[in-house]
CSV table of all heavy atoms in Angstrom, one decimal:
chain,number,residue,atom,x,y,z
A,20,GLU,N,-43.1,38.0,42.7
A,20,GLU,CA,-42.1,37.4,41.9
A,20,GLU,C,-42.6,36.1,41.2
A,20,GLU,O,-42.4,35.8,40.1
A,20,GLU,CB,-40.9,37.1,42.7
A,20,GLU,CG,-39.7,36.3,42.0
A,20,GLU,CD,-39.1,37.2,41.0
A,20,GLU,OE1,-39.2,38.4,41.0
A,20,GLU,OE2,-38.4,36.6,40.1
A,21,LEU,N,-43.3,35.3,42.0
A,21,LEU,CA,-43.9,34.0,41.5
A,21,LEU,C,-44.9,34.3,40.4
A,21,LEU,O,-45.1,33.6,39.4
A,21,LEU,CB,-44.5,33.2,42.6
A,21,LEU,CG,-43.5,32.6,43.7
A,21,LEU,CD1,-44.3,31.9,44.8
A,21,LEU,CD2,-42.6,31.6,43.0
A,22,ARG,N,-45.7,35.3,40.6
A,22,ARG,CA,-46.8,35.7,39.6
A,22,ARG,C,-46.1,36.1,38.3
A,22,ARG,O,-46.6,35.7,37.2
A,22,ARG,CB,-47.6,36.8,40.2
A,22,ARG,CG,-48.8,37.2,39.3
A,22,ARG,CD,-49.4,38.5,39.7
A,22,ARG,NE,-48.4,39.6,39.6
A,22,ARG,CZ,-48.6,40.8,40.1
A,22,ARG,NH1,-49.7,41.1,40.7
A,22,ARG,NH2,-47.6,41.7,40.0
A,23,ASP,N,-45.0,36.9,38.4
A,23,ASP,CA,-44.3,37.3,37.2
A,23,ASP,C,-43.7,36.1,36.5
A,23,ASP,O,-43.8,36.1,35.2
A,23,ASP,CB,-43.2,38.3,37.5
A,23,ASP,CG,-43.8,39.6,38.1
A,23,ASP,OD1,-45.0,39.9,37.8
A,23,ASP,OD2,-43.1,40.4,38.7
A,24,ARG,N,-43.2,35.2,37.2
A,24,ARG,CA,-42.6,34.0,36.6
A,24,ARG,C,-43.7,33.1,35.9
A,24,ARG,O,-43.5,32.6,34.8
A,24,ARG,CB,-41.9,33.1,37.6
A,24,ARG,CG,-40.6,33.8,38.1
A,24,ARG,CD,-39.8,32.8,39.0
A,24,ARG,NE,-38.6,33.5,39.5
A,24,ARG,CZ,-37.6,32.8,40.1
A,24,ARG,NH1,-37.8,31.5,40.4
A,24,ARG,NH2,-36.6,33.5,40.6
A,25,GLN,N,-44.9,33.1,36.5
A,25,GLN,CA,-46.0,32.3,35.9
A,25,GLN,C,-46.4,33.0,34.6
A,25,GLN,O,-46.7,32.3,33.7
A,25,GLN,CB,-47.2,32.3,36.9
A,25,GLN,CG,-48.4,31.5,36.4
A,25,GLN,CD,-49.5,31.5,37.4
A,25,GLN,OE1,-49.5,32.1,38.4
A,25,GLN,NE2,-50.6,30.8,37.0
A,26,VAL,N,-46.5,34.3,34.6
A,26,VAL,CA,-46.9,35.0,33.4
A,26,VAL,C,-45.9,34.8,32.3
A,26,VAL,O,-46.2,34.5,31.2
A,26,VAL,CB,-47.0,36.5,33.7
A,26,VAL,CG1,-47.2,37.3,32.4
A,26,VAL,CG2,-48.2,36.8,34.7
A,27,GLU,N,-44.6,34.8,32.6
A,27,GLU,CA,-43.5,34.6,31.7
A,27,GLU,C,-43.6,33.1,31.1
A,27,GLU,O,-43.4,32.8,30.0
A,27,GLU,CB,-42.2,34.8,32.3
A,27,GLU,CG,-41.9,36.3,32.6
A,27,GLU,CD,-40.5,36.5,33.2
A,27,GLU,OE1,-39.8,35.5,33.4
A,27,GLU,OE2,-40.2,37.7,33.5
A,28,GLY,N,-43.9,32.2,32.1
A,28,GLY,CA,-44.0,30.8,31.7
A,28,GLY,C,-45.2,30.6,30.7
A,28,GLY,O,-45.1,29.7,29.8
A,29,GLU,N,-46.3,31.3,30.9
A,29,GLU,CA,-47.5,31.1,30.1
A,29,GLU,C,-47.2,31.7,28.7
A,29,GLU,O,-47.9,31.3,27.7
A,29,GLU,CB,-48.7,31.8,30.7
A,29,GLU,CG,-49.2,31.1,32.0
A,29,GLU,CD,-50.3,31.9,32.7
A,29,GLU,OE1,-50.5,33.1,32.2
A,29,GLU,OE2,-50.9,31.4,33.6
A,30,ARG,N,-46.3,32.5,28.5
A,30,ARG,CA,-45.9,33.1,27.2
A,30,ARG,C,-45.1,32.1,26.4
A,30,ARG,O,-45.0,32.3,25.2
A,30,ARG,CB,-45.2,34.4,27.4
A,30,ARG,CG,-46.1,35.5,28.0
A,30,ARG,CD,-45.3,36.8,28.2
A,30,ARG,NE,-46.0,37.8,28.8
A,30,ARG,CZ,-45.5,39.0,29.3
A,30,ARG,NH1,-44.2,39.2,29.1
A,30,ARG,NH2,-46.3,39.9,29.8
A,31,ALA,N,-44.5,31.1,27.1
A,31,ALA,CA,-43.6,30.2,26.3
A,31,ALA,C,-44.4,29.1,25.7
A,31,ALA,O,-45.3,28.5,26.4
A,31,ALA,CB,-42.5,29.6,27.3
A,32,ILE,N,-44.1,28.8,24.5
A,32,ILE,CA,-44.8,27.7,23.8
A,32,ILE,C,-43.7,26.6,23.5
A,32,ILE,O,-42.7,26.9,22.8
A,32,ILE,CB,-45.5,28.2,22.5
A,32,ILE,CG1,-46.5,29.3,22.9
A,32,ILE,CG2,-46.1,27.1,21.7
A,32,ILE,CD1,-47.1,29.9,21.6
A,33,TYR,N,-44.0,25.4,23.9
A,33,TYR,CA,-43.0,24.3,23.7
A,33,TYR,C,-43.4,23.5,22.5
A,33,TYR,O,-44.6,23.2,22.3
A,33,TYR,CB,-42.9,23.5,25.0
A,33,TYR,CG,-42.4,24.2,26.2
A,33,TYR,CD1,-43.3,24.8,27.1
A,33,TYR,CD2,-41.1,24.4,26.4
A,33,TYR,CE1,-42.9,25.5,28.2
A,33,TYR,CE2,-40.6,25.1,27.5
A,33,TYR,CZ,-41.5,25.7,28.4
A,33,TYR,OH,-41.1,26.4,29.5
A,34,ARG,N,-42.5,23.1,21.8
A,34,ARG,CA,-42.7,22.4,20.6
A,34,ARG,C,-42.8,20.9,20.9
A,34,ARG,O,-42.0,20.3,21.7
A,34,ARG,CB,-41.5,22.6,19.6
A,34,ARG,CG,-41.5,21.8,18.3
A,34,ARG,CD,-40.3,22.1,17.5
A,34,ARG,NE,-40.3,21.3,16.3
A,34,ARG,CZ,-39.3,21.3,15.4
A,34,ARG,NH1,-38.3,22.2,15.6
A,34,ARG,NH2,-39.3,20.5,14.4
A,35,GLU,N,-43.8,20.2,20.3
A,35,GLU,CA,-43.9,18.8,20.5
A,35,GLU,C,-42.8,18.1,19.8
A,35,GLU,O,-42.3,18.5,18.7
A,35,GLU,CB,-45.3,18.3,19.9
A,35,GLU,CG,-46.5,18.9,20.7
A,35,GLU,CD,-46.6,18.3,22.1
A,35,GLU,OE1,-46.0,17.2,22.3
A,35,GLU,OE2,-47.1,19.0,22.9
A,36,PRO,N,-42.3,17.0,20.3
A,36,PRO,CA,-41.2,16.2,19.7
A,36,PRO,C,-41.7,15.6,18.3
A,36,PRO,O,-42.8,15.1,18.3
A,36,PRO,CB,-40.9,15.1,20.7
A,36,PRO,CG,-42.1,15.0,21.5
A,36,PRO,CD,-42.7,16.3,21.6
A,37,ASP,N,-40.9,15.8,17.3
A,37,ASP,CA,-41.2,15.3,16.0
A,37,ASP,C,-40.1,14.4,15.4
A,37,ASP,O,-39.9,14.5,14.2
A,37,ASP,CB,-41.6,16.5,15.1
A,37,ASP,CG,-40.5,17.5,15.0
A,37,ASP,OD1,-39.4,17.3,15.7
A,37,ASP,OD2,-40.6,18.4,14.2
A,38,ILE,N,-39.4,13.7,16.2
A,38,ILE,CA,-38.3,12.9,15.7
A,38,ILE,C,-39.0,11.7,15.0
A,38,ILE,O,-39.8,11.0,15.6
A,38,ILE,CB,-37.4,12.4,16.9
A,38,ILE,CG1,-36.9,13.6,17.7
A,38,ILE,CG2,-36.3,11.5,16.4
A,38,ILE,CD1,-36.1,13.2,18.9
A,39,PRO,N,-38.5,11.4,13.8
A,39,PRO,CA,-39.1,10.2,13.1
A,39,PRO,C,-39.0,8.9,13.9
A,39,PRO,O,-38.0,8.7,14.6
A,39,PRO,CB,-38.3,10.2,11.8
A,39,PRO,CG,-37.8,11.6,11.7
A,39,PRO,CD,-37.5,12.1,13.0
A,40,GLU,N,-39.9,8.0,13.7
A,40,GLU,CA,-39.9,6.8,14.5
A,40,GLU,C,-38.7,5.9,14.1
A,40,GLU,O,-38.1,5.3,15.0
A,40,GLU,CB,-41.2,6.0,14.2
A,40,GLU,CG,-41.4,4.8,15.0
A,40,GLU,CD,-42.8,4.2,14.8
A,40,GLU,OE1,-43.7,4.9,14.4
A,40,GLU,OE2,-42.9,3.0,15.0
A,41,GLU,N,-38.3,6.0,12.9
A,41,GLU,CA,-37.1,5.1,12.5
A,41,GLU,C,-35.8,5.7,13.1
A,41,GLU,O,-34.9,4.9,13.4
A,41,GLU,CB,-37.0,5.1,11.0
A,41,GLU,CG,-36.9,6.5,10.3
A,41,GLU,CD,-38.2,7.0,9.9
A,41,GLU,OE1,-39.2,6.5,10.4
A,41,GLU,OE2,-38.3,8.0,9.1
A,42,VAL,N,-35.8,7.0,13.4
A,42,VAL,CA,-34.6,7.5,14.1
A,42,VAL,C,-34.6,7.1,15.5
A,42,VAL,O,-33.5,6.8,16.1
A,42,VAL,CB,-34.6,9.1,13.9
A,42,VAL,CG1,-33.4,9.7,14.7
A,42,VAL,CG2,-34.5,9.4,12.4
A,43,GLN,N,-35.8,7.1,16.2
A,43,GLN,CA,-35.8,6.8,17.6
A,43,GLN,C,-35.5,5.3,17.8
A,43,GLN,O,-34.9,4.9,18.8
A,43,GLN,CB,-37.2,7.0,18.1
A,43,GLN,CG,-37.6,8.5,18.2
A,43,GLN,CD,-39.0,8.7,18.8
A,43,GLN,OE1,-39.7,7.7,19.0
A,43,GLN,NE2,-39.4,9.9,19.0
A,44,GLU,N,-35.8,4.4,16.8
A,44,GLU,CA,-35.6,3.0,17.0
A,44,GLU,C,-34.2,2.6,16.5
A,44,GLU,O,-33.8,1.4,16.6
A,44,GLU,CB,-36.6,2.2,16.2
A,44,GLU,CG,-38.0,2.4,16.7
A,44,GLU,CD,-39.1,1.7,15.9
A,44,GLU,OE1,-38.7,1.2,14.8
A,44,GLU,OE2,-40.3,1.7,16.3
A,45,TYR,N,-33.4,3.6,16.0
A,45,TYR,CA,-32.1,3.2,15.4
A,45,TYR,C,-31.1,2.8,16.5
A,45,TYR,O,-31.1,3.5,17.6
A,45,TYR,CB,-31.5,4.4,14.7
A,45,TYR,CG,-30.1,4.2,14.2
A,45,TYR,CD1,-29.8,3.5,13.1
A,45,TYR,CD2,-29.0,4.9,15.0
A,45,TYR,CE1,-28.4,3.3,12.7
A,45,TYR,CE2,-27.7,4.7,14.6
A,45,TYR,CZ,-27.4,3.9,13.5
A,45,TYR,OH,-26.1,3.7,13.1
């Protein structure tokens, strides 16, 4: 079960945060 979850996790690609700096500092 843990091996299957690891395989599923390796298939997921996470997107890097791209919030503009001026929005973060608002």
Side-chain angles (χ1 to χ4, degrees):
E20 178 68 20
L21 293 175
R22 183 193 61 188
D23 293 341
R24 293 190 180 186
Q25 180 182 2
V26 172
E27 293 178 0
E29 292 175 351
R30 294 175 181 173
I32 300 177
Y33 297 94
R34 175 181 175 182
E35 293 293 334
D37 55 355
I38 303 176
E40 187 173 335
E41 56 272 13
V42 175
Q43 294 182 355
E44 296 178 353
Y45 172 76

